[in-house]
Amino acid sequence: MSHFEFIFSLFGLLLGLSLAEVLGGAVRTLKARSRVRVGLLTPLLGLFVMVNLVSFWMGAWNAKDLIPISYPALLTGLAVTSLYYVGASLTFPDHPDDWTNFDDYYFGHRRQVLGSIWLCNVVVFFLSWSVRGLTPTSLALLVDGVPSLLVLAAIVSGKRIVGVVSLAVLVAFYLLVWVVI
């Protein structure tokens, strides 16, 4: 077993559980769609969380040679993947029938979900550059900075249109980055 496989066995488990939380919420939502108004915000949030998680997973693979086997590395990875799990778990309501409108659910939970994802991305951004001993490039700042600003806009704004546009652009941005880079 390589160093990366040892460390990522824990992180991969938590990231997989995070994806399962979002997918489970999406399925519950799909089943409840005839009884509740689903809207766009919560499903877009779920889609964003999933593409962001997959992006993080890919980033971990790309950094596999840089991740040391150490207690601080394990604790940092545990903190980051735990934050992902918290955000993923709050993306969809556990009991859809408790909500008549999922946009209300989104506005009640967007700060926790998006805040946890944003914090994960910021921590990983700074760690990845500091471990390499490099200064972020303009491309890296663009690729990480634009999504960060969009997430912050969705966190701060209480307007539906800002949430929809921010999340839709975030999903499109991540998909575009995967194709281009």
Side-chain angles (χ1 to χ4, degrees), residues 33-114:
R33 72 185 184 283
S34 65
R35 299 182 306 277
V36 298
R37 185 180 176 283
V38 175
L40 286 174
L41 288 168
T42 301
L44 276 172
L45 181 61
L47 188 57
F48 165 67
V49 170
M50 287 191 294
V51 296
N52 189 273
L53 264 165
V54 171
S55 175
F56 176 80
W57 210 314
M58 191 68 217
W61 174 257
N62 289 334
K64 67 183 178 294
D65 297 330
L66 301 172
I67 301 172
I69 292 184
S70 68
Y71 198 63
L74 284 172
L75 287 178
T76 301
L78 176 64
V80 169
T81 55
S82 295
L83 275 173
Y84 263 115
Y85 184 81
V86 168
S89 297
L90 292 171
T91 301
F92 287 94
D94 289 333
H95 306 286
D97 290 327
D98 290 349
W99 298 86
T100 57
N101 185 334
F102 275 23
D103 284 357
D104 294 338
Y105 181 85
Y106 167 85
F107 284 112
H109 294 84
R110 76 184 187 284
R111 289 186 177 108
Q112 296 94 336
V113 175
L114 292 168

Side-chain angles (χ1 to χ4, degrees), residues 1-180:
M1 177 182 284
S2 73
H3 291 175
F4 179 76
E5 289 169 334
F6 170 75
I7 287 179
F8 211 72
S9 62
L10 171 63
F11 306 152
L13 175 66
L14 285 170
L15 292 175
L17 289 171
S18 299
L19 283 172
E21 282 287 336
V22 177
L23 290 170
V27 169
R28 285 190 303 276
T29 297
L30 191 59
K31 290 178 180 178
R33 72 185 184 283
S34 65
R35 299 182 306 277
V36 298
R37 185 180 176 283
V38 175
L40 286 174
L41 288 168
T42 301
L44 276 172
L45 181 61
L47 188 57
F48 165 67
V49 170
M50 287 191 294
V51 296
N52 189 273
L53 264 165
V54 171
S55 175
F56 176 80
W57 210 314
M58 191 68 217
W61 174 257
N62 289 334
K64 67 183 178 294
D65 297 330
L66 301 172
I67 301 172
I69 292 184
S70 68
Y71 198 63
L74 284 172
L75 287 178
T76 301
L78 176 64
V80 169
T81 55
S82 295
L83 275 173
Y84 263 115
Y85 184 81
V86 168
S89 297
L90 292 171
T91 301
F92 287 94
D94 289 333
H95 306 286
D97 290 327
D98 290 349
W99 298 86
T100 57
N101 185 334
F102 275 23
D103 284 357
D104 294 338
Y105 181 85
Y106 167 85
F107 284 112
H109 294 84
R110 76 184 187 284
R111 289 186 177 108
Q112 296 94 336
V113 175
L114 292 168
S116 65
I117 302 302
W118 180 84
L119 187 56
C120 289
N121 290 333
V122 168
V123 167
V124 168
F125 176 80
F126 284 110
L127 283 176
S128 67
W129 287 97
S130 66
V131 165
R132 291 181 177 108
L134 301 172
T135 303
T137 64
S138 297
L139 178 61
L141 290 172
L142 176 70
V143 168
D144 289 319
V146 169
S148 187
L149 292 174
L150 288 168
V151 169
L152 289 174
I155 288 171
V156 172
S157 178
K159 296 183 184 279
R160 183 180 186 282
I161 189 68
V162 172
V164 169
V165 169
S166 295
L167 292 169
V169 171
L170 279 163
V171 169
F173 187 84
Y174 274 92
L175 295 175
L176 179 65
V177 167
W178 289 347
V179 170
V180 173

